[in-house]
Structures are given as structure tokens and as C-alpha cells.
Amino acid sequence: AQSVTQPDIHITVSEGASLELRCNYSYGATPYLFWYVQSPGQGLQLLLKYFSGDTLVQGIKGFEAEFKRSQSSFNLRKPSVHWSDAAEYFCAVSGSARQLTFGSGTQLTVLP
Amino acid sequence: DVKVTQSSRYLVKRTGEKVFLECVQDMDHENMFWYRQDPGLGLRLIYFSYDVKMKEKGDIPEGYSVSREKKERFSLILESASTNQTSMYLCASERGRGGETQYFGPGTRLLVL
């Protein structure tokens, strides 16, 4: 069975600071990995995804994520956070069952 | 742009009522999904469908059923609503199979009294 762990429930950063959101997955083979963002009152929007190839993936809004097989991790990063990045972030994994399994989410607060 | 719409943003129902949540997508996607979202639990898959008149149970199907009579429409049914079904319900659609991007609707926040 596949699973995702997002160890940080809530993270607070100052505007302009760098950001890293952690994601660890459990799956026997190479999974498909995703990061979604949910702004208040909205549905989820895809930030980026990893299928294969280059382990550093670029996404929208200046986000990137790095797949590290040895650590079973897919951490999301942004070099300089903007106030509009305040939202909830979900990591998800898709394996052979072709269904997404989501982590519990990380709420990001951005201080002015 | 893919658009997934859900019939209601907010819904208040009484215990025992039959509840219908409707989802429509406009991009001819084969796959559609219903999730519920609860604080601290993330999104959990209730039911999904890979084709018209086809449905499969997700991780938490108890107390729910679905209907997919047309490709663009996927309905979630609570046969007899209970207070523990108070939640945010999200619909998503996806093209093809295997790791494609899922596109989400804005969600329906359901309160069962």
C-alpha cells in the first residue's frame, strides 16, 4: 500500500524567506509524485509533478521539488516566499493502483 | 482551461436526509473522483469512475454511493446523511490513466445537523 507523510502540520515564514515543505512517501517502486496547493475556499491546484527523469522538478509560481529515492522524499522548495503563497500544501503519491494518496497537508503562514 | 464545477458551495442538511452532490467537468475526461477533506486527515478517496456507468470504491465508501450516467457528470449520494458526514467534499477529473493531473472543483462544504 502507498502512503504519504507530511511531518509539518503548520509552518510560518517571513515574506522573502526561503521555504521547504517536507514530504515522505512509502511505495515499493518508483511512484508518481505530486504537490498540490489549496488557497482558502478553493479547490486544489497542481504545483508540479514527478514521473521519471530529472529528479529536480520545476513547477508553477516559482516552486520546485526534488525526488530523492534513497530518502523516499519529495520536498517542495521556494527560494523567496510571497504573501500570496499562504495556503495549504498537499503532497500526493500515485502508484500501480493509479489512484492518488494524499498527505495530511501543511498549512503555510507568511508573515509580512 | 479545464473546468470542474460542483453544484453547491455550501449545503446544510438534516440527519437522515438523502443528499446529492453533483460534479460536472467540461474537458471530456474519462476519470472522475470524489474525495472528502477533513482537518488533519488530508483528502480521502470515497469513490471513483473510469468510465460511464462504471464505479469503484475508494478508501472510505461506507455510507456513500455514486452515479455516472454521462461522461461529464459524476454524482455523490448520501443515502441517509449522518453527522459524521459533515465535511468538505471535493470532486476531481483526470484524462486517461496512470499519473495524470487531477483537476479539482471548488468543493462543497456539507453540514449535517
Short mmCIF file of all heavy atoms in Angstrom, two decimals, chain A residues 2-6 34-36 44 89-93 99-105, chain B residues 35 41-45 59 92 102 104:
data_model
loop_
_atom_site.label_atom_id
_atom_site.label_comp_id
_atom_site.label_asym_id
_atom_site.label_seq_id
_atom_site.Cartn_x
_atom_site.Cartn_y
_atom_site.Cartn_z
N GLN A 2 0.41 2.27 -0.64
CA GLN A 2 1.17 3.51 -0.72
C GLN A 2 0.71 4.46 0.37
O GLN A 2 -0.46 4.42 0.79
CB GLN A 2 0.97 4.17 -2.09
CG GLN A 2 -0.46 4.49 -2.41
CD GLN A 2 -0.71 4.66 -3.90
OE1 GLN A 2 -0.17 3.93 -4.72
NE2 GLN A 2 -1.54 5.63 -4.25
N SER A 3 1.60 5.31 0.84
CA SER A 3 1.24 6.30 1.85
C SER A 3 2.14 7.51 1.73
O SER A 3 3.21 7.45 1.11
CB SER A 3 1.34 5.71 3.26
OG SER A 3 2.67 5.39 3.58
N VAL A 4 1.68 8.61 2.31
CA VAL A 4 2.43 9.86 2.28
C VAL A 4 2.41 10.47 3.68
O VAL A 4 1.36 10.50 4.32
CB VAL A 4 1.79 10.85 1.28
CG1 VAL A 4 2.52 12.20 1.34
CG2 VAL A 4 1.83 10.29 -0.12
N THR A 5 3.56 10.97 4.10
CA THR A 5 3.66 11.64 5.39
C THR A 5 4.17 13.06 5.18
O THR A 5 5.20 13.27 4.55
CB THR A 5 4.63 10.91 6.33
OG1 THR A 5 4.17 9.58 6.54
CG2 THR A 5 4.70 11.62 7.68
N GLN A 6 3.42 14.01 5.69
CA GLN A 6 3.87 15.39 5.73
C GLN A 6 4.06 15.73 7.22
O GLN A 6 3.09 15.95 7.93
CB GLN A 6 2.85 16.33 5.08
CG GLN A 6 2.73 16.11 3.58
CD GLN A 6 1.74 17.04 2.94
OE1 GLN A 6 0.67 16.62 2.48
NE2 GLN A 6 2.08 18.32 2.89
N PHE A 34 3.32 14.19 -6.58
CA PHE A 34 2.66 15.45 -6.90
C PHE A 34 2.70 16.38 -5.69
O PHE A 34 2.69 15.94 -4.54
CB PHE A 34 1.18 15.22 -7.23
CG PHE A 34 0.92 14.24 -8.34
CD1 PHE A 34 1.00 12.88 -8.12
CD2 PHE A 34 0.58 14.70 -9.60
CE1 PHE A 34 0.75 11.98 -9.15
CE2 PHE A 34 0.33 13.81 -10.63
CZ PHE A 34 0.41 12.44 -10.40
N TRP A 35 2.69 17.67 -5.97
CA TRP A 35 2.41 18.69 -4.96
C TRP A 35 1.24 19.53 -5.47
O TRP A 35 1.25 20.03 -6.60
CB TRP A 35 3.60 19.61 -4.72
CG TRP A 35 4.57 19.09 -3.71
CD1 TRP A 35 5.76 18.47 -3.95
CD2 TRP A 35 4.46 19.17 -2.29
NE1 TRP A 35 6.39 18.15 -2.77
CE2 TRP A 35 5.61 18.56 -1.74
CE3 TRP A 35 3.49 19.70 -1.42
CZ2 TRP A 35 5.82 18.47 -0.36
CZ3 TRP A 35 3.71 19.61 -0.06
CH2 TRP A 35 4.87 19.00 0.46
N TYR A 36 0.23 19.66 -4.59
CA TYR A 36 -0.93 20.50 -4.86
C TYR A 36 -1.00 21.61 -3.82
O TYR A 36 -0.56 21.44 -2.68
CB TYR A 36 -2.23 19.70 -4.78
CG TYR A 36 -2.53 18.82 -5.97
CD1 TYR A 36 -2.00 17.53 -6.08
CD2 TYR A 36 -3.37 19.27 -6.99
CE1 TYR A 36 -2.30 16.73 -7.18
CE2 TYR A 36 -3.68 18.46 -8.08
CZ TYR A 36 -3.13 17.21 -8.16
OH TYR A 36 -3.43 16.42 -9.25
N LEU A 44 -8.10 22.27 -5.16
CA LEU A 44 -6.66 22.06 -5.23
C LEU A 44 -6.14 22.37 -6.62
O LEU A 44 -6.80 22.08 -7.62
CB LEU A 44 -6.31 20.61 -4.88
CG LEU A 44 -6.17 20.26 -3.40
CD1 LEU A 44 -7.50 20.33 -2.69
CD2 LEU A 44 -5.52 18.90 -3.23
N TYR A 89 -0.72 23.07 1.60
CA TYR A 89 0.02 22.34 0.59
C TYR A 89 -0.10 20.84 0.84
O TYR A 89 0.09 20.38 1.97
CB TYR A 89 1.49 22.76 0.58
CG TYR A 89 1.68 24.18 0.11
CD1 TYR A 89 1.43 25.26 0.95
CD2 TYR A 89 2.05 24.45 -1.20
CE1 TYR A 89 1.56 26.57 0.51
CE2 TYR A 89 2.19 25.77 -1.65
CZ TYR A 89 1.93 26.81 -0.79
OH TYR A 89 2.06 28.11 -1.22
N PHE A 90 -0.40 20.12 -0.23
CA PHE A 90 -0.58 18.67 -0.12
C PHE A 90 0.39 17.96 -1.05
O PHE A 90 0.48 18.27 -2.24
CB PHE A 90 -2.01 18.28 -0.51
CG PHE A 90 -3.05 18.75 0.45
CD1 PHE A 90 -3.71 19.95 0.24
CD2 PHE A 90 -3.38 17.99 1.57
CE1 PHE A 90 -4.68 20.39 1.14
CE2 PHE A 90 -4.35 18.42 2.46
CZ PHE A 90 -5.00 19.62 2.24
N CYS A 91 1.06 16.97 -0.50
CA CYS A 91 1.88 16.05 -1.28
C CYS A 91 1.03 14.81 -1.56
O CYS A 91 0.20 14.41 -0.73
CB CYS A 91 3.12 15.69 -0.48
SG CYS A 91 4.29 14.60 -1.30
N ALA A 92 1.21 14.22 -2.74
CA ALA A 92 0.43 13.05 -3.09
C ALA A 92 1.28 12.07 -3.88
O ALA A 92 2.21 12.46 -4.59
CB ALA A 92 -0.81 13.43 -3.90
N VAL A 93 0.93 10.79 -3.75
CA VAL A 93 1.65 9.74 -4.46
C VAL A 93 0.66 8.90 -5.25
O VAL A 93 -0.47 8.67 -4.80
CB VAL A 93 2.45 8.86 -3.48
CG1 VAL A 93 1.52 8.16 -2.49
CG2 VAL A 93 3.29 7.83 -4.22
N GLN A 99 -4.29 5.54 -8.32
CA GLN A 99 -5.09 6.45 -7.51
C GLN A 99 -4.15 7.29 -6.66
O GLN A 99 -3.10 6.85 -6.25
CB GLN A 99 -6.02 5.67 -6.60
CG GLN A 99 -7.05 4.84 -7.32
CD GLN A 99 -7.51 3.68 -6.47
OE1 GLN A 99 -7.64 3.83 -5.26
NE2 GLN A 99 -7.74 2.54 -7.09
N LEU A 100 -4.58 8.52 -6.41
CA LEU A 100 -3.77 9.40 -5.59
C LEU A 100 -4.01 9.14 -4.11
O LEU A 100 -5.16 9.01 -3.68
CB LEU A 100 -4.12 10.86 -5.89
CG LEU A 100 -3.55 11.50 -7.16
CD1 LEU A 100 -3.97 12.95 -7.24
CD2 LEU A 100 -2.05 11.39 -7.19
N THR A 101 -2.92 9.08 -3.37
CA THR A 101 -2.99 9.07 -1.91
C THR A 101 -2.35 10.36 -1.43
O THR A 101 -1.20 10.65 -1.77
CB THR A 101 -2.25 7.87 -1.32
OG1 THR A 101 -2.88 6.67 -1.77
CG2 THR A 101 -2.28 7.92 0.20
N PHE A 102 -3.10 11.12 -0.64
CA PHE A 102 -2.65 12.44 -0.19
C PHE A 102 -2.08 12.38 1.22
O PHE A 102 -2.50 11.58 2.05
CB PHE A 102 -3.81 13.43 -0.19
CG PHE A 102 -4.24 13.87 -1.56
CD1 PHE A 102 -5.13 13.13 -2.30
CD2 PHE A 102 -3.74 15.05 -2.10
CE1 PHE A 102 -5.54 13.53 -3.56
CE2 PHE A 102 -4.12 15.47 -3.37
CZ PHE A 102 -5.02 14.70 -4.09
N GLY A 103 -1.13 13.28 1.48
CA GLY A 103 -0.70 13.52 2.85
C GLY A 103 -1.73 14.37 3.57
O GLY A 103 -2.72 14.81 2.98
N SER A 104 -1.49 14.61 4.84
CA SER A 104 -2.45 15.33 5.66
C SER A 104 -2.36 16.84 5.49
O SER A 104 -3.19 17.58 6.03
CB SER A 104 -2.26 14.97 7.13
OG SER A 104 -0.93 15.18 7.52
N GLY A 105 -1.37 17.30 4.74
CA GLY A 105 -1.28 18.72 4.42
C GLY A 105 -0.39 19.50 5.37
O GLY A 105 -0.20 19.13 6.53
N TYR B 35 -13.65 12.94 -3.25
CA TYR B 35 -12.88 12.91 -2.03
C TYR B 35 -13.64 13.65 -0.93
O TYR B 35 -14.45 14.54 -1.21
CB TYR B 35 -11.54 13.66 -2.21
CG TYR B 35 -10.59 13.08 -3.22
CD1 TYR B 35 -10.63 13.49 -4.55
CD2 TYR B 35 -9.62 12.17 -2.83
CE1 TYR B 35 -9.73 12.99 -5.48
CE2 TYR B 35 -8.71 11.67 -3.76
CZ TYR B 35 -8.77 12.08 -5.06
OH TYR B 35 -7.87 11.59 -5.98
N LEU B 41 -6.49 15.19 8.23
CA LEU B 41 -6.58 13.90 7.54
C LEU B 41 -6.30 14.02 6.05
O LEU B 41 -6.26 13.00 5.34
CB LEU B 41 -7.96 13.28 7.76
CG LEU B 41 -8.31 12.92 9.18
CD1 LEU B 41 -9.74 12.38 9.26
CD2 LEU B 41 -7.33 11.90 9.75
N GLY B 42 -6.16 15.21 5.55
CA GLY B 42 -5.94 15.39 4.12
C GLY B 42 -7.18 15.01 3.33
O GLY B 42 -8.31 15.13 3.81
N LEU B 43 -6.97 14.53 2.11
CA LEU B 43 -8.06 14.10 1.25
C LEU B 43 -8.12 12.58 1.25
O LEU B 43 -7.09 11.91 1.12
CB LEU B 43 -7.84 14.58 -0.19
CG LEU B 43 -8.22 16.01 -0.52
CD1 LEU B 43 -7.24 17.00 0.08
CD2 LEU B 43 -8.32 16.20 -2.03
N ARG B 44 -9.32 12.07 1.38
CA ARG B 44 -9.52 10.62 1.34
C ARG B 44 -10.49 10.28 0.22
O ARG B 44 -11.53 10.91 0.08
CB ARG B 44 -10.03 10.12 2.69
CG ARG B 44 -9.00 10.25 3.82
CD ARG B 44 -9.59 9.77 5.14
NE ARG B 44 -10.62 10.69 5.63
CZ ARG B 44 -11.48 10.39 6.60
NH1 ARG B 44 -11.42 9.22 7.18
NH2 ARG B 44 -12.37 11.28 6.99
N LEU B 45 -10.15 9.25 -0.54
CA LEU B 45 -10.92 8.88 -1.71
C LEU B 45 -12.16 8.09 -1.32
O LEU B 45 -12.06 7.06 -0.64
CB LEU B 45 -10.03 8.06 -2.66
CG LEU B 45 -10.64 7.63 -3.98
CD1 LEU B 45 -11.00 8.84 -4.84
CD2 LEU B 45 -9.67 6.71 -4.72
N ASP B 59 -11.19 4.47 -0.58
CA ASP B 59 -10.76 4.06 0.76
C ASP B 59 -11.86 4.13 1.81
O ASP B 59 -11.83 3.41 2.80
CB ASP B 59 -9.58 4.94 1.20
CG ASP B 59 -8.39 4.79 0.28
OD1 ASP B 59 -8.12 3.65 -0.14
OD2 ASP B 59 -7.73 5.81 -0.03
N ALA B 92 -12.95 15.65 -8.57
CA ALA B 92 -11.82 15.86 -9.46
C ALA B 92 -12.02 15.05 -10.73
O ALA B 92 -12.73 14.04 -10.74
CB ALA B 92 -10.51 15.44 -8.79
N GLN B 102 -4.85 15.57 -11.82
CA GLN B 102 -6.26 15.66 -11.45
C GLN B 102 -6.62 17.13 -11.29
O GLN B 102 -5.89 17.91 -10.69
CB GLN B 102 -6.53 14.90 -10.16
CG GLN B 102 -6.44 13.39 -10.34
CD GLN B 102 -6.97 12.61 -9.16
OE1 GLN B 102 -7.65 13.15 -8.29
NE2 GLN B 102 -6.66 11.33 -9.11
N PHE B 104 -9.42 19.79 -9.86
CA PHE B 104 -10.39 19.78 -8.78
C PHE B 104 -11.43 20.88 -8.93
O PHE B 104 -11.14 21.98 -9.41
CB PHE B 104 -9.67 19.98 -7.44
CG PHE B 104 -8.96 18.76 -6.97
CD1 PHE B 104 -7.70 18.42 -7.47
CD2 PHE B 104 -9.55 17.91 -6.04
CE1 PHE B 104 -7.05 17.27 -7.04
CE2 PHE B 104 -8.89 16.76 -5.61
CZ PHE B 104 -7.65 16.45 -6.10
#
